Amino acid sequence: MGGAIVEYVFNNRMIEPYLCSSDSIITEVNKEFIDFTGFTMGELLGKSLIEIGDMLKFSSQTLLDNINSNYSGFIFTKFSEAREVNITLIHTKETNQKIYTFVEKPNSRLSDKLIFVEQTFIKNIYNVTVYSVPDLILLKDNENYLYFLDLPFSKEKNNIGRSIREIITGFVGSNSEIIWNTVLETQKISYIKEIKFSNFVNGTTYWDFTQIPIFENGKMKYIFETSVNVTERVLENQSLKRQKKQLEQQNTQLISIIENLSEGVMLSDEKGRLLMVNQEAKRLIYQPDKLITTSDTLKQTKLFDMKGNEIPLKNFPVVRALRGEIVKDFKVFVSHPTNEYFAKISSIPIYNTIGDLTRVASCFHDITETIEQSRKFDEQKKQLEAIIENIDDSISIFDNKGQYILFNKAARERFLPSYRTLDNIGDVEKQFRFYDIDGEKIDSNNIPARRVMRGEILKDVRIIEKFPHKTIQRDVSGTPIYDSEGNFALGVICSRDMTDYLKQEEAIRNRYEFLNRIIDTFDLPFIRLSFPDLKIVTINKKAFSIIKRLKPDIESIQQIEDTKIEDYFKIFQTNEYYQCINEVKKEKKTKYLNKQKYLINGNEIYWNVIFEPILKVNGEIQEILIVIIDVTSEIKSTIDMEKTVQSQGEFLVNISHDLKTPLNVISATAQLVNMYCNSGELDKRKNSFIKYIDSINQNCYKLSKMINNIVDLSKIESGFFKLNVSNNNIVEVVEEIVMSVTNFTDSKGLNIIFDTDIEEKTIACDPEKVERIVLNLISNAIKFTEAGDEIFIQVKDKNEFVEISVKDNGIGIEDEHLNMIFDRFKQVDNSLSRNAEGTGIGLNLVKSIVELHGGRIYVESEFGKGSKFTVILPSEKVLHENMIYDSKVKSVNQSIKVELSDAF
Ligand code: ADP
């Protein structure tokens, strides 16, 4: 110890606690200091002044080093008890030693001052603290207070001796600071509720704070603070508020929901006073705007039960509810002056917590539509049941155990007469024998009902049932029905007796095949078309031969099957065809396309086409059969006939003229003769008479020739013209004719020459007819030659036949007419033949007679130079000569006159 200090200590009879430092390191403490602070010598010696300040929790007030001579403040014992002290510094400059004495202020101990609240520190119910004034250093607290503090201050007694600003997180600028400052200023007790407080450890909490200033000598010295955690209460209050708000919100929502419900809602109190009537209720009740009580709503309103009985007021649902009954879904008919409807009403009494009836709620629903719908539904159901019951198909329904729950009439008639105990599908298995279409027995596991139970859907499965007296074919359909969970609930089996149908089908098929065979054997082309796509199913040989002619590259019938008929026949590309097909389709009757003209390889042919629909059992068209009938010859002969009729008409016109001319001459001559007779000049005009009689004769010959020709032609046509054939020397016959006409040709100045290469040639002929032939040709030659011309007749023997030709060097025949002069009624030139006269039947008759002899005739001619007609007769002989001569033997001369009559 230095001298100065020692001196001081002694001088001041140092019994106060002190500590001594040299160069800021503690070098000495006295026993009193140790007693006062509770630290040991070892803890103190060797520490720096700063460390000692911290241990004494003094450094938050000031640093020991910074004390000049005196300082008053708090230090804390090792046990964190505050001691208010006066610190005095004694400084020795020369040794740089410092002595600090700590003298406790008398009566300053907190424990003495706070006797009355000391218990609160111990009980640890509240947070209790004491802060110094004015620097708010924490002097004392209880365990609870640590709650407010974050690390490191919440540990042990780290908080003691420190400023409130330091230890409470976020104190500066907080509501707490304001409160503390207010207490410092006003020096009054502060009681503040539900202060919100946040720190890191505990989050947000709420506290009730009390700050009580403690005075010493009239000056505020400490502030005693208690605080109670009221977080729970605050939060509870807050949630209550929230709940209340929510409740209010819910209430308004509920009201608007109720307002807009499709159900009518009315709420009344226990006296029946209306508390609420929603829109739908207003729509349904009578005079909704004038209502105050429930009984108002019932005025003029009548209720009826569903059987139509009126319900007395005391049994109205709302009245019953007012009596405490619960009425649920009561169906009624409501009637009041402005509305009538079916309603479903529920009325419920509502009780409060102590069990008093306080409210009645009524809900009612307009179910008019539903009732109507269910009525309709019922009707439909009945209809459906009636249909099911009366349908021809047999219908049975069974449940998931195979138990039958329904048979319709057909099913009952089918099953029940013979099987009284048909309750379960098992009975069917036992009692029926089912076979499939191939005649295989169906085992009991595979009968339709079992298959449906396994979930199969059956569509027209053909099943055969065998009975002793008959066999029935059935088409069975079946459907499983499932419940909402997908389990099998019901099976429906529907079956139809197909026996008759199949028989009918069979009959139709047979008929159809029969028809096909018949048609195939007919020599008519036919084509089968599918329906409705109208493609070729097949065609027969005859039709194929036609197609083959049209399209030679097609090789087989198969090749054209399933193609369109229009591809082969133009006739089937016409509107008439499509129209015809449409009519067949519509009327299902046979249709015809007649006299269809068609060109095949340049030949005109005519077809009648028949469209025949082939019908199925149900009356629908299965196929269309097309039959083609060739009517070309009929059509052509009709055309020929028409032509013949026309030329016969022309012939009659010609012939009537030709007949009239000679008649006119005869009649005129007769009148002349008559005139001379009357005038008595007969003898005088004798020479003239001879001429007149010649003229009459001449014209009579002409008429005879014409009539002979016409008669012969008719005979030839009708087959009555007969030859009287005998063996004659043809050279002689012809020569005689030529000789006999020389008189006539001479008179016309013509040169007639006969020439032959044989003297005798006997052939079978009718000499009279040969005469007709030759005279006719000579007559024509005379007609078409002039005076000085030459007619050359020649007979040639050609062994097999004899050739007779008549040649002239007259006007000749134009080439274009050559091949038609042998046709009947044809004259090369009407005007010309008019001059020469003639009916155009002469050469035709000649040709016919020649052909009756088995010969032929032809002509060679050069126009302007002359013509040559050649007759060829076969040189044959007859064994039995026909010696029946015409009884009326004419003189040769006579017939020449007739034959040549038109040549002059
Ligand atoms: P018609 O009775 O009118 O003479 P035919 O059948 O004898 O009828 O003769 C038919 C036609 O053939 C005559 O109208 C004439 O035009 C022609 N014809 C026949 N013979 C000759 C002939 N020798 N020279 C020229 N034309 C002839």
Side-chain angles (χ1 to χ4, degrees):
M1 193 188 286
I5 303 270
V6 173
E7 190 186 332
Y8 173 82
V9 167
F10 280 108
N11 288 349
N12 291 287
R13 309 179 64 177
M14 288 292 279
I15 50 156
E16 295 100 347
Y18 74 83
L19 60 77
C20 183
S21 76
S22 173
D23 294 328
S24 294
I25 300 291
I26 306 304
T27 52
E28 193 185 329
V29 291
N30 63 355
K31 188 179 176 299
E32 285 74 13
F33 188 85
I34 286 165
D35 291 343
F36 184 53
T37 63
F39 291 105
T40 63
M41 194 72 81
E43 286 169 330
L44 297 168
L45 289 179
K47 296 271 164 54
S48 70
L49 278 177
I50 289 183
E51 284 169 326
I52 289 295
D54 284 343
M55 284 165 74
L56 298 176
K57 305 184 196 303
F58 178 72
S59 35
S60 67
Q61 301 159 51
T62 187
L63 290 176
L64 284 174
D65 237 1
N66 290 350
I67 294 172
N68 279 335
S69 56
N70 270 310
Y71 185 82
S72 176
F74 292 95
I75 65 160
F76 295 85
T77 67
K78 190 177 179 181
F79 312 105
S80 292
E81 278 162 8
R83 299 284 185 259
E84 190 177 10
V85 290
N86 278 320
I87 302 172
T88 311
L89 171 66
I90 305 159
H91 204 167
T92 55
K93 286 200 177 103
E94 47 287 14
T95 58
N96 200 19
Q97 279 188 326
K98 286 177 176 171
I99 297 170
Y100 295 91
T101 61
F102 297 80
V103 178
E104 188 176 15
K105 282 193 179 173
N107 301 320
S108 71
R109 288 210 179 175
L110 272 175
S111 50
D112 301 334
K113 296 185 187 292
L114 299 172
I115 286 169
F116 60 97
V117 289
E118 193 64 5
Q119 278 303 312
T120 57
F121 285 93
I122 297 160
K123 274 195 178 163
N124 228 350
I125 294 167
Y126 305 106
N127 293 356
V128 191
T129 46
V130 180
Y131 279 94
S132 67
V133 174
D135 39 8
L136 299 180
I137 285 170
L138 178 63
L139 301 179
K140 190 176 171 75
D141 64 2
N142 69 352
E143 195 79 0
N144 259 10
Y145 195 63
L146 294 177
Y147 188 89
F148 277 131
L149 308 178
D150 286 317
L151 278 172
F153 308 109
S154 59
K155 268 263 164 82
E156 310 219 319
K157 289 291 180 189
N158 283 351
N159 49 350
I160 293 288
R162 293 179 192 273
S163 156
I164 193 168
R165 293 170 188 85
E166 203 182 341
I167 59 174
I168 291 187
T169 313
F171 180 81
V172 179
S174 72
N175 283 339
S176 300
E177 190 183 26
I178 295 168
I179 295 164
W180 281 99
N181 285 342
T182 313
V183 175
L184 286 176
E185 262 168 47
T186 59
Q187 305 197 348
K188 285 190 175 143
I189 292 178
S190 152
Y191 177 68
I192 293 185
K193 290 179 76 172
E194 295 173 10
I195 293 285
K196 186 172 168 188
F197 177 78
S198 306
N199 67 350
F200 297 128
V201 177
N202 301 299
T204 301
T205 44
Y206 294 87
W207 300 84
D208 285 356
F209 282 97
T210 325
Q211 273 104 355
I212 305 167
I214 296 172
F215 294 88
E216 202 177 273
N217 302 328
K219 255 182 89 183
M220 187 162 72
K221 180 83 197 226
Y222 310 104
I223 293 175
F224 174 76
E225 183 200 61
T226 59
S227 53
V228 186
N229 188 342
V230 293
T231 312
E232 224 166 85
R233 191 186 75 208
V234 170
L235 290 184
E236 220 165 71
N237 280 348
Q238 278 180 352
S239 88
L240 267 178
K241 263 189 214 157
R242 261 202 310 276
Q243 273 176 9
K244 199 180 163 205
K245 209 168 159 195
Q246 261 175 4
L247 218 66
E248 276 165 10
Q249 254 174 10
Q250 280 172 358
N251 221 23
T252 36
Q253 277 172 6
L254 202 67
I255 286 175
S256 79
I257 288 170
I258 292 175
E259 239 340 88
N260 294 303
L261 275 182
S262 62
E263 194 146 330
V265 179
M266 287 203 297
L267 193 66
S268 71
D269 64 12
E270 75 281 5
K271 297 240 159 59
R273 285 181 294 238
L274 288 174
L275 302 173
M276 199 192 89
V277 179
N278 79 346
Q279 274 175 23
E280 175 68 2
K282 283 182 183 158
R283 189 179 76 81
L284 292 171
I285 59 185
Y286 182 54
Q287 293 192 327
D289 300 327
K290 300 185 178 159
L291 306 177
I292 298 161
T293 67
T294 305
S295 64
D296 295 336
T297 68
L298 304 177
K299 262 183 213 153
Q300 306 229 45
T301 299
K302 287 180 176 177
L303 298 192
F304 301 87
D305 66 17
M306 294 309 275
K307 285 178 190 140
N309 304 318
E310 189 169 351
I311 299 169
L313 185 68
K314 67 174 167 57
N315 287 340
F316 278 25
V318 65
V319 180
R320 284 164 62 188
L322 280 167
R323 287 201 300 266
E325 268 183 68
I326 293 175
V327 184
K328 283 228 75 172
D329 294 341
F330 190 53
K331 280 188 193 167
V332 292
F333 179 72
V334 184
S335 167
H336 60 65
T338 55
N339 206 350
E340 280 191 340
Y341 54 94
F342 286 96
K344 192 161 80 180
I345 303 181
S346 298
S347 283
I348 302 152
I350 300 171
Y351 299 90
N352 68 7
T353 43
I354 55 168
D356 296 330
L357 194 161
T358 52
R359 300 274 188 272
V360 166
S362 293
C363 301
F364 44 107
H365 206 171
D366 182 350
I367 54 166
T368 315
E369 225 167 82
T370 325
I371 294 240
E372 238 140 60
Q373 265 173 4
S374 76
R375 236 177 230 171
K376 265 188 210 150
F377 179 77
D378 278 351
E379 255 168 48
Q380 281 173 354
K381 200 177 140 200
K382 270 184 201 145
Q383 279 173 8
L384 195 70
E385 279 168 358
I387 291 171
I388 289 179
E389 176 66 10
N390 293 306
I391 206 165
D392 280 344
D393 292 5
S394 131
I395 296 175
S396 57
I397 302 178
F398 52 88
D399 63 15
N400 56 2
K401 295 187 182 65
Q403 208 71 26
Y404 280 115
I405 54 177
L406 183 142
F407 283 125
N408 74 344
K409 200 162 82 196
R412 286 196 303 275
E413 281 167 1
R414 178 176 157 223
F415 289 127
L416 298 181
S418 29
Y419 305 100
R420 295 249 163 245
T421 55
L422 201 61
D423 297 329
N424 192 283
I425 57 174
D427 299 335
V428 173
E429 293 161 20
K430 275 181 234 142
Q431 299 174 1
F432 279 74
R433 294 275 172 276
F434 293 120
Y435 298 86
D436 68 14
I437 193 118
D438 304 317
E440 293 288 318
K441 187 168 181 310
I442 298 172
D443 66 76
S444 58
N445 255 334
N446 285 322
I447 63 165
R450 288 273 176 233
R451 286 170 67 183
V452 168
M453 260 182 120
R454 287 201 296 268
E456 258 187 83
I457 294 173
L458 308 181
K459 182 93 192 77
D460 290 339
V461 176
R462 181 68 50 80
I463 279 192
I464 296 160
E465 285 173 22
K466 286 194 179 159
F467 297 95
H469 52 291
K470 63 177 172 181
T471 299
I472 289 178
Q473 308 221 33
R474 293 192 158 271
D475 273 359
V476 181
S477 298
T479 318
I481 295 172
Y482 299 95
D483 63 17
S484 55
E485 274 144 39
N487 300 319
F488 177 89
L490 294 175
V492 180
I493 297 265
C494 180
S495 76
R496 177 178 300 183
D497 185 344
M498 299 296 287
T499 319
D500 287 347
Y501 180 89
L502 292 173
K503 272 186 201 153
Q504 220 172 328
E505 207 179 54
E506 174 86 15
I508 285 187
R509 207 177 20 246
N510 287 342
R511 223 168 57 205
Y512 182 65
E513 271 164 21
F514 176 69
L515 191 73
N516 266 351
R517 276 200 304 277
I518 294 226
I519 288 168
D520 228 350
T521 49
F522 273 162
D523 196 22
L524 288 176
F526 85 83
I527 298 159
R528 278 168 56 196
L529 292 191
S530 62
F531 190 84
D533 46 355
L534 304 176
K535 288 199 176 147
I536 295 171
V537 176
T538 188
I539 65 173
N540 71 347
K541 282 194 198 116
K542 187 78 180 176
F544 183 66
S545 73
I546 299 176
I547 290 180
K548 189 95 178 117
R549 259 195 282 163
L550 293 171
K551 309 226 160 173
D553 47 319
I554 291 173
E555 274 158 16
S556 68
I557 291 181
Q558 283 74 25
Q559 211 177 322
I560 57 173
E561 280 172 8
D562 215 28
T563 58
K564 289 242 161 195
I565 186 171
E566 295 97 304
D567 299 345
Y568 310 102
F569 299 95
K570 278 218 181 67
I571 203 170
F572 296 121
Q573 293 163 3
T574 58
N575 282 341
E576 287 104 311
Y577 164 66
Y578 292 113
Q579 204 177 322
C580 220
I581 287 281
N582 272 338
E583 282 173 17
V584 171
K585 208 159 127 185
K586 233 187 272 164
E587 298 170 27
K588 295 176 183 151
K589 279 186 188 152
T590 316
K591 292 283 157 192
Y592 306 89
L593 268 185
N594 282 341
K595 294 188 194 165
Q596 296 296 307
K597 187 166 158 187
Y598 208 64
L599 267 182
I600 294 187
N601 302 342
N603 297 327
E604 261 181 22
I605 55 164
Y606 291 87
W607 282 343
N608 282 358
V609 187
I610 303 171
F611 297 85
E612 176 75 32
I614 309 282
L615 303 181
K616 291 188 264 190
V617 185
N618 59 8
E620 295 299 319
I621 297 177
Q622 178 173 325
E623 285 182 9
I624 293 178
L625 194 68
I626 296 181
V627 182
I628 298 171
I629 299 172
D630 190 336
V631 292
T632 314
S633 57
E634 286 90 327
I635 297 275
K636 283 211 172 137
S637 64
T638 321
I639 292 173
D640 286 350
M641 183 74 85
E642 278 166 5
K643 278 187 194 157
T644 313
V645 168
Q646 193 189 349
S647 51
Q648 262 176 1
E650 279 171 17
F651 169 69
L652 281 174
V653 172
N654 289 346
I655 207 159
S656 62
H657 173 83
D658 293 336
L659 286 170
K660 261 191 209 156
T661 316
L663 273 176
N664 285 343
V665 174
I666 293 167
S667 138
T669 313
Q671 279 174 29
L672 201 63
V673 172
N674 191 30
M675 203 178 74
Y676 289 147
C677 281
N678 291 343
S679 63
E681 285 178 276
L682 266 177
D683 285 334
K684 217 166 95 186
R685 305 249 175 196
K686 195 179 168 189
N687 288 336
S688 303
F689 270 105
I690 293 166
K691 253 178 27 202
Y692 295 145
I693 288 164
D694 274 353
S695 167
I696 288 174
N697 276 335
Q698 189 59 31
N699 281 295
C700 283
Y701 295 145
K702 281 187 189 175
L703 283 175
S704 291
K705 180 178 178 181
M706 270 186 261
I707 290 163
N708 283 346
N709 282 350
I710 291 166
V711 170
D712 286 348
L713 265 182
S714 308
K715 278 187 182 169
I716 287 172
E717 258 171 31
S718 52
F720 293 123
F721 190 87
K722 290 271 161 12
L723 292 182
N724 292 320
V725 181
S726 55
N727 296 328
N728 298 289
N729 180 2
I730 187 72
V731 183
E732 195 189 315
V733 173
V734 175
E735 193 172 6
E736 257 177 37
I737 299 166
V738 175
M739 288 309 145
S740 60
V741 299
T742 41
N743 288 337
F744 299 90
T745 49
D746 286 352
S747 67
K748 209 191 163 187
L750 291 170
N751 229 351
I752 189 155
I753 299 162
F754 177 75
D755 180 40
T756 179
D757 56 359
I758 40 158
E759 282 308 311
E760 193 178 328
K761 179 79 179 180
T762 306
I763 61 166
C765 63
D766 179 341
E768 203 182 311
K769 301 297 183 311
V770 173
E771 188 181 285
R772 290 278 295 277
I773 294 169
V774 179
L775 278 177
N776 221 308
L777 293 177
I778 292 173
S779 163
N780 275 349
I782 297 170
K783 261 201 275 185
F784 299 106
T785 48
E786 314 237 314
D789 281 349
E790 188 173 81
I791 299 170
F792 185 75
I793 295 137
Q794 196 176 29
V795 178
K796 274 190 185 169
D797 177 23
K798 296 267 174 178
N799 294 326
E800 303 288 292
F801 46 86
V802 178
E803 213 179 71
I804 306 161
S805 58
V806 179
K807 188 179 154 210
D808 65 68
N809 52 359
I811 62 166
I813 305 165
E814 279 176 273
D815 277 356
E816 64 207 82
H817 297 138
L818 271 180
N819 53 3
M820 57 190 236
I821 53 171
F822 296 105
D823 289 349
R824 200 177 303 173
F825 317 127
K826 278 276 163 12
Q827 289 173 321
V828 167
D829 183 342
N830 278 341
S831 57
L832 203 137
S833 52
R834 272 288 82 73
N835 292 339
E837 298 195 347
T839 52
I841 54 177
L843 281 177
N844 184 256
L845 189 64
V846 167
K847 190 176 173 232
S848 296
I849 300 171
V850 170
E851 282 168 359
L852 280 173
H853 277 91
R856 56 191 186 89
I857 181 170
Y858 64 90
V859 62
E860 297 154 278
S861 181
E862 203 175 327
F863 188 60
K865 289 203 172 157
S867 315
K868 182 184 177 190
F869 288 83
T870 307
V871 174
I872 294 166
L873 296 175
S875 57
E876 288 165 357
K877 285 182 190 150
V878 282
L879 290 179
H880 306 286
E881 290 176 295
N882 194 344
M883 300 307 285
I884 311 157
Y885 283 101
D886 202 334
S887 57
K888 179 187 104 205
V889 180
K890 289 177 277 180
S891 80
V892 175
N893 208 21
Q894 185 77 5
S895 60
I896 290 171
K897 281 177 182 162
V898 170
E899 289 304 329
L900 297 188
S901 61
D902 60 346
F904 300 97

